[in-house]
Structure formats: structure tokens, C-alpha cells
Amino acid sequence: MPYEAYEMREFEQRLQGLLSASIADLLEVVPPRQTIRGGRLDAGTLNGLFDSHPEVQGDQVQQFIRESRDAQVLILWRDFQGMPEGNPNELEVCRVRERVAIEFLGQGVYFVWDRSAEVWVEGGVIAADEFVCVSRSRGGYCERLGFTGVVTDIPGGLPVQGRSHRVGNGWARSQNVTLRQHSLDALGFARSIVAGLGLDEEMRELVCCAAQWHDYGKAHSQFQGACGVGGEVWAKRTSMGRYRHPGFRHELASAIGVLMQGRGFELAYLVAAHHGKCRMQ
């Protein structure tokens, strides 16, 4: 999946006759016959692809991805006590067909990532494109074969879950970090990135300024209340509670704060867009 048997046979035949991967030679390859599935890419749909956030209704990029023929759940395995910590990471995800995932997950404890509150919820609703976390001891993943659902197939640990240590010039995802430190780290990374992009001085300054201000809205009482620990203004916590008012978006608060400081619209837009959710809404 998602390819049909005849497609695989034709691909093998074309591959056996291909002696060069140069652009000129590849352009001479006769394209295979294809069955067009899904909707047409009209102008309205094309404009809609700019915003691919899954919670937005309407035509989205998902219908043009061949994988979407089968709805998939995003399963990840971690070592944890009580409840997983930290956001889900694409590097630790295994995509499993929805029907198979529900059958596997229904056999024990699991946690679903609440995208709006940004917390793990035990026993939440399993649906396509949702992140679901289970204990590594639960098994179900083979390093050689991928998802198997077999309890004796225990996945290895992933370095992306490293804790309480600094990585290069940045922080591990699960590290507690103050807003001041995170802003300075982001500024440093931005400066190193824009240095090699050939941008003019005004654009470099805009990007670096946006990096430094991007999480300004986390100083809001909604976010700090969810951190649950006083004495510091936090940007990242290993364990986050729920917002008092669901739906709070710190990047929108950051953008409003930028405008309140008398900064320009371009800076506010970059700050608001850094997670994508506020970009079109």
C-alpha cells in the first residue's frame, strides 16, 4: 500500500531499464498510466493549501496525499511514569491505519494529545491524524518491520527524548526553560541562520527580531498559570496543566503584545505565524 500490484510491476520494469538518473535521461522516461483519485486542484483549493492546519474546515492538502486513502493514527512509544511529558515529536511517530490502531490501543492504557490545550489526555478519542502515546513496555513496534502490534516487539528508546541537558546551542524539548533564556536562544539561532541566506540588513533584522519576540505571549497569565510554578517566567515546562480558558494561543498573544509595543505589522505577522495556527484565522 498505497500502490496496486500492476503499478509495482510497471515500476520494476521501468527501473530495470533506467541506466542514468540525470535530468535529461529522466525526462525521456515514459510516465506510467495513472488513475486519478481525489478532487480537482482548482484555484480555490490551491489557495486553501496555504493553510494546512488539520482543525480548519474546507479543502486542504490532505486530499492530495496518496497516504490519505487510509486514515492513520500517529502512535508513539515512550518511557514515563503516570503520564507522558512534553509535546509529541514527528521523529518518534509511527503512522498506523485507524482501524488497526484502535484495535491495538484498546488493549491497554493510552494517552491522546489535546492540540488545543497542548496536554496529554488519558483514554481520549482515537481519530485519524491524532497523536497517541503508549508505554514502550507495551510493545507493538519492531525496529526491523515497523508496527506489528505484537507485545513482545519492544521499540528502542529515541534520543529526541533526552532530558535535562543542553544540546548544542539549544535546549532539549523536555527541559524547563525560562522565557528570557528561550528568547535569547531563539535570537542566537536566527542570527546564525540568516547569516547565510543573502538577505538584506532590514530583512535580517526583521527575522531576528521576530525570533526574539515569538514567545512573548507566554508571559500571559494563561500560560504561566498552566506552568503551575511561580518565581520565574517560563517558556517551556516538562509538565503543563490546562489553560483556564481553552483555546488560548500564545503566539496570538505575542503578536498583540508586539503591536502594543508600537512595532510594525510585518513583525507581528511573523510572530503570529510561527506555529501556523493563527496564520489564516
Side-chain angles (χ1 to χ4, degrees):
M1 294 293 289
Y3 303 103
E4 304 292 345
Y6 79 87
E7 293 177 302
M8 297 301 295
R9 287 194 299 270
E10 290 188 353
F11 166 74
E12 183 177 11
Q13 292 171 2
R14 290 194 304 277
L15 189 61
Q16 289 174 343
L18 189 62
L19 303 179
S20 167
S22 72
I23 298 297
D25 290 334
L26 290 177
L27 288 174
E28 297 299 320
V29 176
V30 178
R33 67 180 188 272
Q34 299 180 63
T35 301
I36 304 301
R37 306 178 180 94
R40 289 184 177 274
L41 184 58
D42 55 26
T45 304
L46 180 62
N47 289 333
L49 299 186
F50 181 69
D51 184 15
S52 57
H53 186 248
E55 295 175 7
V56 179
Q57 299 300 315
D59 292 323
Q60 297 298 316
V61 68
Q62 189 68 19
Q63 63 177 305
F64 297 102
I65 300 175
R66 296 194 66 176
E67 271 184 350
S68 65
R69 198 186 311 173
D70 290 315
Q72 296 176 326
V73 176
L74 314 177
I75 301 181
L76 52 112
W77 288 259
R78 289 183 180 176
D79 291 317
F80 56 86
Q81 296 293 329
M83 181 173 293
E85 295 181 347
N87 295 26
N89 189 313
E90 288 287 351
L91 296 177
E92 54 183 336
V93 162
C94 176
R95 295 178 175 271
V96 181
R97 281 184 291 176
E98 186 175 14
R99 177 181 57 78
V100 177
I102 291 175
E103 182 180 345
F104 169 71
L105 295 168
Q107 300 172 11
V109 177
Y110 64 86
F111 297 84
V112 177
W113 180 247
D114 186 324
R115 297 174 188 265
S116 60
E118 297 186 329
V119 295
W120 290 103
V121 178
E122 183 175 354
V125 176
I126 303 170
D129 296 322
E130 295 291 349
F131 291 99
V132 182
C133 183
V134 296
S135 172
R136 198 162 61 88
S137 62
R138 173 84 170 271
Y141 182 89
C142 172
E143 299 290 336
R144 184 171 59 87
L145 300 175
F147 178 81
T148 63
V150 178
V151 295
T152 55
D153 289 336
I154 307 296
L158 287 176
V160 295
Q161 289 304 312
R163 297 171 56 91
S164 69
H165 63 280
R166 200 159 183 176
V167 181
N169 293 322
W171 295 92
R173 179 179 290 271
S174 58
Q175 174 72 42
N176 296 329
V177 186
T178 65
L179 182 56
R180 171 182 171 81
Q181 183 63 59
H182 180 57
S183 299
L184 292 174
D185 286 343
L187 175 61
F189 275 114
R191 284 174 173 166
S192 65
I193 292 171
V194 300
L197 295 182
L199 303 176
D200 59 43
E201 183 176 354
E202 181 180 4
M203 183 60 69
R204 289 199 302 271
E205 179 62 24
L206 178 62
V207 171
C208 291
C209 192
Q212 187 171 10
W213 283 76
H214 79 285
D215 272 353
Y216 181 53
K218 287 185 175 180
H220 194 286
S221 60
Q222 288 285 328
F223 189 89
Q224 294 303 309
C227 290
V229 179
E232 294 280 2
V233 179
W234 297 103
K236 297 180 182 296
R237 293 288 299 170
T238 58
S239 180
M240 292 283 293
R242 291 180 177 273
Y243 295 134
R244 291 196 307 275
H245 297 287
F248 170 77
R249 294 303 312 176
H250 71 268
E251 66 270 35
L252 180 59
S254 298
I256 293 173
V258 165
L259 294 175
M260 291 175 66
Q261 295 291 335
R263 303 298 184 110
F265 172 80
E266 292 86 355
L267 177 61
Y269 175 81
L270 288 180
V271 167
H274 80 267
H275 280 300
K277 293 187 178 183
C278 294
R279 186 173 57 184
M280 291 291 286
Q281 299 180 65

mmCIF file with all atom_site columns, all heavy atoms in Angstrom, residues 207-230:
data_model
loop_
_atom_site.group_PDB
_atom_site.id
_atom_site.type_symbol
_atom_site.label_atom_id
_atom_site.label_alt_id
_atom_site.label_comp_id
_atom_site.label_asym_id
_atom_site.label_entity_id
_atom_site.label_seq_id
_atom_site.pdbx_PDB_ins_code
_atom_site.Cartn_x
_atom_site.Cartn_y
_atom_site.Cartn_z
_atom_site.occupancy
_atom_site.B_iso_or_equiv
_atom_site.pdbx_formal_charge
_atom_site.auth_seq_id
_atom_site.auth_comp_id
_atom_site.auth_asym_id
_atom_site.auth_atom_id
_atom_site.pdbx_PDB_model_num
ATOM 1   N N   . VAL A 1 207 ? 13.748 39.291 10.797 1.00 0.00 ? 207 VAL A N   1
ATOM 2   C CA  . VAL A 1 207 ? 13.665 37.869 11.152 1.00 0.00 ? 207 VAL A CA  1
ATOM 3   C C   . VAL A 1 207 ? 14.221 37.633 12.558 1.00 0.00 ? 207 VAL A C   1
ATOM 4   O O   . VAL A 1 207 ? 13.633 36.907 13.367 1.00 0.00 ? 207 VAL A O   1
ATOM 5   C CB  . VAL A 1 207 ? 14.423 37.018 10.116 1.00 0.00 ? 207 VAL A CB  1
ATOM 6   C CG1 . VAL A 1 207 ? 14.525 35.566 10.593 1.00 0.00 ? 207 VAL A CG1 1
ATOM 7   C CG2 . VAL A 1 207 ? 13.733 37.083 8.772  1.00 0.00 ? 207 VAL A CG2 1
ATOM 8   N N   . CYS A 1 208 ? 15.341 38.246 12.868 1.00 0.00 ? 208 CYS A N   1
ATOM 9   C CA  . CYS A 1 208 ? 15.958 38.069 14.182 1.00 0.00 ? 208 CYS A CA  1
ATOM 10  C C   . CYS A 1 208 ? 15.083 38.654 15.282 1.00 0.00 ? 208 CYS A C   1
ATOM 11  O O   . CYS A 1 208 ? 14.943 38.065 16.367 1.00 0.00 ? 208 CYS A O   1
ATOM 12  C CB  . CYS A 1 208 ? 17.339 38.708 14.214 1.00 0.00 ? 208 CYS A CB  1
ATOM 13  S SG  . CYS A 1 208 ? 18.568 37.853 13.197 1.00 0.00 ? 208 CYS A SG  1
ATOM 14  N N   . CYS A 1 209 ? 14.477 39.793 15.004 1.00 0.00 ? 209 CYS A N   1
ATOM 15  C CA  . CYS A 1 209 ? 13.586 40.412 15.982 1.00 0.00 ? 209 CYS A CA  1
ATOM 16  C C   . CYS A 1 209 ? 12.361 39.530 16.224 1.00 0.00 ? 209 CYS A C   1
ATOM 17  O O   . CYS A 1 209 ? 11.912 39.355 17.363 1.00 0.00 ? 209 CYS A O   1
ATOM 18  C CB  . CYS A 1 209 ? 13.172 41.794 15.491 1.00 0.00 ? 209 CYS A CB  1
ATOM 19  S SG  . CYS A 1 209 ? 12.355 42.804 16.746 1.00 0.00 ? 209 CYS A SG  1
ATOM 20  N N   . ALA A 1 210 ? 11.825 38.942 15.151 1.00 0.00 ? 210 ALA A N   1
ATOM 21  C CA  . ALA A 1 210 ? 10.680 38.045 15.292 1.00 0.00 ? 210 ALA A CA  1
ATOM 22  C C   . ALA A 1 210 ? 11.040 36.822 16.126 1.00 0.00 ? 210 ALA A C   1
ATOM 23  O O   . ALA A 1 210 ? 10.239 36.346 16.937 1.00 0.00 ? 210 ALA A O   1
ATOM 24  C CB  . ALA A 1 210 ? 10.174 37.622 13.914 1.00 0.00 ? 210 ALA A CB  1
ATOM 25  N N   . ALA A 1 211 ? 12.248 36.304 15.939 1.00 0.00 ? 211 ALA A N   1
ATOM 26  C CA  . ALA A 1 211 ? 12.683 35.148 16.722 1.00 0.00 ? 211 ALA A CA  1
ATOM 27  C C   . ALA A 1 211 ? 12.740 35.497 18.206 1.00 0.00 ? 211 ALA A C   1
ATOM 28  O O   . ALA A 1 211 ? 12.318 34.710 19.060 1.00 0.00 ? 211 ALA A O   1
ATOM 29  C CB  . ALA A 1 211 ? 14.049 34.677 16.232 1.00 0.00 ? 211 ALA A CB  1
ATOM 30  N N   . GLN A 1 212 ? 13.246 36.683 18.513 1.00 0.00 ? 212 GLN A N   1
ATOM 31  C CA  . GLN A 1 212 ? 13.371 37.074 19.911 1.00 0.00 ? 212 GLN A CA  1
ATOM 32  C C   . GLN A 1 212 ? 12.006 37.320 20.565 1.00 0.00 ? 212 GLN A C   1
ATOM 33  O O   . GLN A 1 212 ? 11.812 37.033 21.740 1.00 0.00 ? 212 GLN A O   1
ATOM 34  C CB  . GLN A 1 212 ? 14.223 38.333 20.034 1.00 0.00 ? 212 GLN A CB  1
ATOM 35  C CG  . GLN A 1 212 ? 14.534 38.708 21.478 1.00 0.00 ? 212 GLN A CG  1
ATOM 36  C CD  . GLN A 1 212 ? 15.553 39.811 21.578 1.00 0.00 ? 212 GLN A CD  1
ATOM 37  O OE1 . GLN A 1 212 ? 15.911 40.448 20.591 1.00 0.00 ? 212 GLN A OE1 1
ATOM 38  N NE2 . GLN A 1 212 ? 16.058 40.038 22.781 1.00 0.00 ? 212 GLN A NE2 1
ATOM 39  N N   . TRP A 1 213 ? 11.036 37.806 19.802 1.00 0.00 ? 213 TRP A N   1
ATOM 40  C CA  . TRP A 1 213 ? 9.724  38.146 20.336 1.00 0.00 ? 213 TRP A CA  1
ATOM 41  C C   . TRP A 1 213 ? 8.695  37.028 20.200 1.00 0.00 ? 213 TRP A C   1
ATOM 42  O O   . TRP A 1 213 ? 7.576  37.143 20.686 1.00 0.00 ? 213 TRP A O   1
ATOM 43  C CB  . TRP A 1 213 ? 9.170  39.383 19.608 1.00 0.00 ? 213 TRP A CB  1
ATOM 44  C CG  . TRP A 1 213 ? 9.768  40.678 20.047 1.00 0.00 ? 213 TRP A CG  1
ATOM 45  C CD1 . TRP A 1 213 ? 11.002 41.169 19.734 1.00 0.00 ? 213 TRP A CD1 1
ATOM 46  C CD2 . TRP A 1 213 ? 9.150  41.673 20.873 1.00 0.00 ? 213 TRP A CD2 1
ATOM 47  N NE1 . TRP A 1 213 ? 11.197 42.398 20.305 1.00 0.00 ? 213 TRP A NE1 1
ATOM 48  C CE2 . TRP A 1 213 ? 10.069 42.738 21.007 1.00 0.00 ? 213 TRP A CE2 1
ATOM 49  C CE3 . TRP A 1 213 ? 7.906  41.772 21.495 1.00 0.00 ? 213 TRP A CE3 1
ATOM 50  C CZ2 . TRP A 1 213 ? 9.782  43.875 21.754 1.00 0.00 ? 213 TRP A CZ2 1
ATOM 51  C CZ3 . TRP A 1 213 ? 7.627  42.914 22.237 1.00 0.00 ? 213 TRP A CZ3 1
ATOM 52  C CH2 . TRP A 1 213 ? 8.555  43.948 22.362 1.00 0.00 ? 213 TRP A CH2 1
ATOM 53  N N   . HIS A 1 214 ? 9.037  35.907 19.526 1.00 0.00 ? 214 HIS A N   1
ATOM 54  C CA  . HIS A 1 214 ? 7.998  34.969 19.101 1.00 0.00 ? 214 HIS A CA  1
ATOM 55  C C   . HIS A 1 214 ? 7.184  34.394 20.259 1.00 0.00 ? 214 HIS A C   1
ATOM 56  O O   . HIS A 1 214 ? 6.001  34.096 20.108 1.00 0.00 ? 214 HIS A O   1
ATOM 57  C CB  . HIS A 1 214 ? 8.612  33.844 18.244 1.00 0.00 ? 214 HIS A CB  1
ATOM 58  C CG  . HIS A 1 214 ? 9.304  32.774 19.030 1.00 0.00 ? 214 HIS A CG  1
ATOM 59  N ND1 . HIS A 1 214 ? 10.544 32.956 19.615 1.00 0.00 ? 214 HIS A ND1 1
ATOM 60  C CD2 . HIS A 1 214 ? 8.923  31.503 19.336 1.00 0.00 ? 214 HIS A CD2 1
ATOM 61  C CE1 . HIS A 1 214 ? 10.907 31.848 20.243 1.00 0.00 ? 214 HIS A CE1 1
ATOM 62  N NE2 . HIS A 1 214 ? 9.951  30.954 20.088 1.00 0.00 ? 214 HIS A NE2 1
ATOM 63  N N   . ASP A 1 215 ? 7.776  34.201 21.426 1.00 0.00 ? 215 ASP A N   1
ATOM 64  C CA  . ASP A 1 215 ? 7.055  33.621 22.561 1.00 0.00 ? 215 ASP A CA  1
ATOM 65  C C   . ASP A 1 215 ? 6.732  34.651 23.644 1.00 0.00 ? 215 ASP A C   1
ATOM 66  O O   . ASP A 1 215 ? 6.439  34.284 24.794 1.00 0.00 ? 215 ASP A O   1
ATOM 67  C CB  . ASP A 1 215 ? 7.856  32.467 23.168 1.00 0.00 ? 215 ASP A CB  1
ATOM 68  C CG  . ASP A 1 215 ? 7.549  31.140 22.504 1.00 0.00 ? 215 ASP A CG  1
ATOM 69  O OD1 . ASP A 1 215 ? 6.630  31.092 21.668 1.00 0.00 ? 215 ASP A OD1 1
ATOM 70  O OD2 . ASP A 1 215 ? 8.235  30.140 22.808 1.00 0.00 ? 215 ASP A OD2 1
ATOM 71  N N   . TYR A 1 216 ? 6.751  35.929 23.293 1.00 0.00 ? 216 TYR A N   1
ATOM 72  C CA  . TYR A 1 216 ? 6.440  36.998 24.245 1.00 0.00 ? 216 TYR A CA  1
ATOM 73  C C   . TYR A 1 216 ? 5.101  36.756 24.932 1.00 0.00 ? 216 TYR A C   1
ATOM 74  O O   . TYR A 1 216 ? 4.935  37.029 26.125 1.00 0.00 ? 216 TYR A O   1
ATOM 75  C CB  . TYR A 1 216 ? 6.427  38.335 23.484 1.00 0.00 ? 216 TYR A CB  1
ATOM 76  C CG  . TYR A 1 216 ? 6.137  39.559 24.307 1.00 0.00 ? 216 TYR A CG  1
ATOM 77  C CD1 . TYR A 1 216 ? 6.866  39.861 25.452 1.00 0.00 ? 216 TYR A CD1 1
ATOM 78  C CD2 . TYR A 1 216 ? 5.130  40.453 23.916 1.00 0.00 ? 216 TYR A CD2 1
ATOM 79  C CE1 . TYR A 1 216 ? 6.606  41.005 26.189 1.00 0.00 ? 216 TYR A CE1 1
ATOM 80  C CE2 . TYR A 1 216 ? 4.862  41.595 24.650 1.00 0.00 ? 216 TYR A CE2 1
ATOM 81  C CZ  . TYR A 1 216 ? 5.598  41.871 25.787 1.00 0.00 ? 216 TYR A CZ  1
ATOM 82  O OH  . TYR A 1 216 ? 5.333  43.000 26.501 1.00 0.00 ? 216 TYR A OH  1
ATOM 83  N N   . GLY A 1 217 ? 4.140  36.210 24.212 1.00 0.00 ? 217 GLY A N   1
ATOM 84  C CA  . GLY A 1 217 ? 2.804  35.968 24.758 1.00 0.00 ? 217 GLY A CA  1
ATOM 85  C C   . GLY A 1 217 ? 2.766  34.909 25.847 1.00 0.00 ? 217 GLY A C   1
ATOM 86  O O   . GLY A 1 217 ? 1.764  34.785 26.558 1.00 0.00 ? 217 GLY A O   1
ATOM 87  N N   . LYS A 1 218 ? 3.836  34.133 26.005 1.00 0.00 ? 218 LYS A N   1
ATOM 88  C CA  . LYS A 1 218 ? 3.867  33.143 27.078 1.00 0.00 ? 218 LYS A CA  1
ATOM 89  C C   . LYS A 1 218 ? 3.981  33.796 28.458 1.00 0.00 ? 218 LYS A C   1
ATOM 90  O O   . LYS A 1 218 ? 3.785  33.126 29.479 1.00 0.00 ? 218 LYS A O   1
ATOM 91  C CB  . LYS A 1 218 ? 5.022  32.157 26.859 1.00 0.00 ? 218 LYS A CB  1
ATOM 92  C CG  . LYS A 1 218 ? 4.757  31.176 25.723 1.00 0.00 ? 218 LYS A CG  1
ATOM 93  C CD  . LYS A 1 218 ? 5.848  30.134 25.612 1.00 0.00 ? 218 LYS A CD  1
ATOM 94  C CE  . LYS A 1 218 ? 5.496  29.089 24.549 1.00 0.00 ? 218 LYS A CE  1
ATOM 95  N NZ  . LYS A 1 218 ? 6.552  28.049 24.418 1.00 0.00 ? 218 LYS A NZ  1
ATOM 96  N N   . ALA A 1 219 ? 4.284  35.097 28.486 1.00 0.00 ? 219 ALA A N   1
ATOM 97  C CA  . ALA A 1 219 ? 4.274  35.815 29.763 1.00 0.00 ? 219 ALA A CA  1
ATOM 98  C C   . ALA A 1 219 ? 2.843  36.033 30.257 1.00 0.00 ? 219 ALA A C   1
ATOM 99  O O   . ALA A 1 219 ? 2.632  36.406 31.414 1.00 0.00 ? 219 ALA A O   1
ATOM 100 C CB  . ALA A 1 219 ? 4.991  37.160 29.608 1.00 0.00 ? 219 ALA A CB  1
ATOM 101 N N   . HIS A 1 220 ? 1.858  35.794 29.398 1.00 0.00 ? 220 HIS A N   1
ATOM 102 C CA  . HIS A 1 220 ? 0.448  35.958 29.754 1.00 0.00 ? 220 HIS A CA  1
ATOM 103 C C   . HIS A 1 220 ? 0.085  35.020 30.913 1.00 0.00 ? 220 HIS A C   1
ATOM 104 O O   . HIS A 1 220 ? 0.603  33.906 31.015 1.00 0.00 ? 220 HIS A O   1
ATOM 105 C CB  . HIS A 1 220 ? -0.418 35.648 28.528 1.00 0.00 ? 220 HIS A CB  1
ATOM 106 C CG  . HIS A 1 220 ? -1.841 36.092 28.648 1.00 0.00 ? 220 HIS A CG  1
ATOM 107 N ND1 . HIS A 1 220 ? -2.744 35.440 29.446 1.00 0.00 ? 220 HIS A ND1 1
ATOM 108 C CD2 . HIS A 1 220 ? -2.509 37.116 28.060 1.00 0.00 ? 220 HIS A CD2 1
ATOM 109 C CE1 . HIS A 1 220 ? -3.925 36.038 29.353 1.00 0.00 ? 220 HIS A CE1 1
ATOM 110 N NE2 . HIS A 1 220 ? -3.809 37.061 28.511 1.00 0.00 ? 220 HIS A NE2 1
ATOM 111 N N   . SER A 1 221 ? -0.820 35.487 31.770 1.00 0.00 ? 221 SER A N   1
ATOM 112 C CA  . SER A 1 221 ? -1.202 34.700 32.946 1.00 0.00 ? 221 SER A CA  1
ATOM 113 C C   . SER A 1 221 ? -1.808 33.348 32.575 1.00 0.00 ? 221 SER A C   1
ATOM 114 O O   . SER A 1 221 ? -1.719 32.392 33.351 1.00 0.00 ? 221 SER A O   1
ATOM 115 C CB  . SER A 1 221 ? -2.193 35.495 33.807 1.00 0.00 ? 221 SER A CB  1
ATOM 116 O OG  . SER A 1 221 ? -3.368 35.805 33.066 1.00 0.00 ? 221 SER A OG  1
ATOM 117 N N   . GLN A 1 222 ? -2.443 33.243 31.395 1.00 0.00 ? 222 GLN A N   1
ATOM 118 C CA  . GLN A 1 222 ? -2.996 31.961 30.965 1.00 0.00 ? 222 GLN A CA  1
ATOM 119 C C   . GLN A 1 222 ? -1.894 30.906 30.880 1.00 0.00 ? 222 GLN A C   1
ATOM 120 O O   . GLN A 1 222 ? -2.035 29.789 31.372 1.00 0.00 ? 222 GLN A O   1
ATOM 121 C CB  . GLN A 1 222 ? -3.683 32.106 29.613 1.00 0.00 ? 222 GLN A CB  1
ATOM 122 C CG  . GLN A 1 222 ? -4.996 32.851 29.642 1.00 0.00 ? 222 GLN A CG  1
ATOM 123 C CD  . GLN A 1 222 ? -6.117 31.995 30.229 1.00 0.00 ? 222 GLN A CD  1
ATOM 124 O OE1 . GLN A 1 222 ? -6.124 30.776 30.075 1.00 0.00 ? 222 GLN A OE1 1
ATOM 125 N NE2 . GLN A 1 222 ? -7.035 32.640 30.908 1.00 0.00 ? 222 GLN A NE2 1
ATOM 126 N N   . PHE A 1 223 ? -0.801 31.270 30.203 1.00 0.00 ? 223 PHE A N   1
ATOM 127 C CA  . PHE A 1 223 ? 0.293  30.308 30.008 1.00 0.00 ? 223 PHE A CA  1
ATOM 128 C C   . PHE A 1 223 ? 1.035  30.054 31.309 1.00 0.00 ? 223 PHE A C   1
ATOM 129 O O   . PHE A 1 223 ? 1.320  28.902 31.665 1.00 0.00 ? 223 PHE A O   1
ATOM 130 C CB  . PHE A 1 223 ? 1.257  30.815 28.936 1.00 0.00 ? 223 PHE A CB  1
ATOM 131 C CG  . PHE A 1 223 ? 2.292  29.800 28.527 1.00 0.00 ? 223 PHE A CG  1
ATOM 132 C CD1 . PHE A 1 223 ? 2.048  28.915 27.499 1.00 0.00 ? 223 PHE A CD1 1
ATOM 133 C CD2 . PHE A 1 223 ? 3.507  29.718 29.194 1.00 0.00 ? 223 PHE A CD2 1
ATOM 134 C CE1 . PHE A 1 223 ? 2.986  27.959 27.136 1.00 0.00 ? 223 PHE A CE1 1
ATOM 135 C CE2 . PHE A 1 223 ? 4.465  28.775 28.840 1.00 0.00 ? 223 PHE A CE2 1
ATOM 136 C CZ  . PHE A 1 223 ? 4.200  27.892 27.813 1.00 0.00 ? 223 PHE A CZ  1
ATOM 137 N N   . GLN A 1 224 ? 1.364  31.122 32.032 1.00 0.00 ? 224 GLN A N   1
ATOM 138 C CA  . GLN A 1 224 ? 2.107  30.951 33.275 1.00 0.00 ? 224 GLN A CA  1
ATOM 139 C C   . GLN A 1 224 ? 1.294  30.172 34.305 1.00 0.00 ? 224 GLN A C   1
ATOM 140 O O   . GLN A 1 224 ? 1.844  29.391 35.084 1.00 0.00 ? 224 GLN A O   1
ATOM 141 C CB  . GLN A 1 224 ? 2.527  32.316 33.817 1.00 0.00 ? 224 GLN A CB  1
ATOM 142 C CG  . GLN A 1 224 ? 3.525  33.057 32.935 1.00 0.00 ? 224 GLN A CG  1
ATOM 143 C CD  . GLN A 1 224 ? 4.788  32.239 32.689 1.00 0.00 ? 224 GLN A CD  1
ATOM 144 O OE1 . GLN A 1 224 ? 5.425  31.731 33.615 1.00 0.00 ? 224 GLN A OE1 1
ATOM 145 N NE2 . GLN A 1 224 ? 5.152  32.098 31.406 1.00 0.00 ? 224 GLN A NE2 1
ATOM 146 N N   . GLY A 1 225 ? -0.031 30.350 34.293 1.00 0.00 ? 225 GLY A N   1
ATOM 147 C CA  . GLY A 1 225 ? -0.878 29.569 35.192 1.00 0.00 ? 225 GLY A CA  1
ATOM 148 C C   . GLY A 1 225 ? -0.828 28.087 34.870 1.00 0.00 ? 225 GLY A C   1
ATOM 149 O O   . GLY A 1 225 ? -0.850 27.241 35.764 1.00 0.00 ? 225 GLY A O   1
ATOM 150 N N   . ALA A 1 226 ? -0.741 27.762 33.584 1.00 0.00 ? 226 ALA A N   1
ATOM 151 C CA  . ALA A 1 226 ? -0.650 26.358 33.180 1.00 0.00 ? 226 ALA A CA  1
ATOM 152 C C   . ALA A 1 226 ? 0.701  25.755 33.555 1.00 0.00 ? 226 ALA A C   1
ATOM 153 O O   . ALA A 1 226 ? 0.814  24.544 33.741 1.00 0.00 ? 226 ALA A O   1
ATOM 154 C CB  . ALA A 1 226 ? -0.883 26.227 31.678 1.00 0.00 ? 226 ALA A CB  1
ATOM 155 N N   . CYS A 1 227 ? 1.732  26.620 33.660 1.00 0.00 ? 227 CYS A N   1
ATOM 156 C CA  . CYS A 1 227 ? 3.055  26.127 34.078 1.00 0.00 ? 227 CYS A CA  1
ATOM 157 C C   . CYS A 1 227 ? 3.018  25.660 35.527 1.00 0.00 ? 227 CYS A C   1
ATOM 158 O O   . CYS A 1 227 ? 3.730  24.728 35.900 1.00 0.00 ? 227 CYS A O   1
ATOM 159 C CB  . CYS A 1 227 ? 4.103  27.224 33.912 1.00 0.00 ? 227 CYS A CB  1
ATOM 160 S SG  . CYS A 1 227 ? 4.499  27.619 32.195 1.00 0.00 ? 227 CYS A SG  1
ATOM 161 N N   . GLY A 1 228 ? 2.214  26.326 36.356 1.00 0.00 ? 228 GLY A N   1
ATOM 162 C CA  . GLY A 1 228 ? 1.984  25.856 37.715 1.00 0.00 ? 228 GLY A CA  1
ATOM 163 C C   . GLY A 1 228 ? 3.103  26.122 38.700 1.00 0.00 ? 228 GLY A C   1
ATOM 164 O O   . GLY A 1 228 ? 3.032  25.685 39.846 1.00 0.00 ? 228 GLY A O   1
ATOM 165 N N   . VAL A 1 229 ? 4.161  26.812 38.300 1.00 0.00 ? 229 VAL A N   1
ATOM 166 C CA  . VAL A 1 229 ? 5.294  27.070 39.184 1.00 0.00 ? 229 VAL A CA  1
ATOM 167 C C   . VAL A 1 229 ? 5.621  28.553 39.124 1.00 0.00 ? 229 VAL A C   1
ATOM 168 O O   . VAL A 1 229 ? 5.867  29.091 38.038 1.00 0.00 ? 229 VAL A O   1
ATOM 169 C CB  . VAL A 1 229 ? 6.537  26.244 38.780 1.00 0.00 ? 229 VAL A CB  1
ATOM 170 C CG1 . VAL A 1 229 ? 7.704  26.567 39.702 1.00 0.00 ? 229 VAL A CG1 1
ATOM 171 C CG2 . VAL A 1 229 ? 6.215  24.753 38.832 1.00 0.00 ? 229 VAL A CG2 1
ATOM 172 N N   . GLY A 1 230 ? 5.621  29.216 40.267 1.00 0.00 ? 230 GLY A N   1
ATOM 173 C CA  . GLY A 1 230 ? 5.926  30.636 40.310 1.00 0.00 ? 230 GLY A CA  1
ATOM 174 C C   . GLY A 1 230 ? 7.421  30.886 40.435 1.00 0.00 ? 230 GLY A C   1
ATOM 175 O O   . GLY A 1 230 ? 8.239  29.970 40.420 1.00 0.00 ? 230 GLY A O   1
#
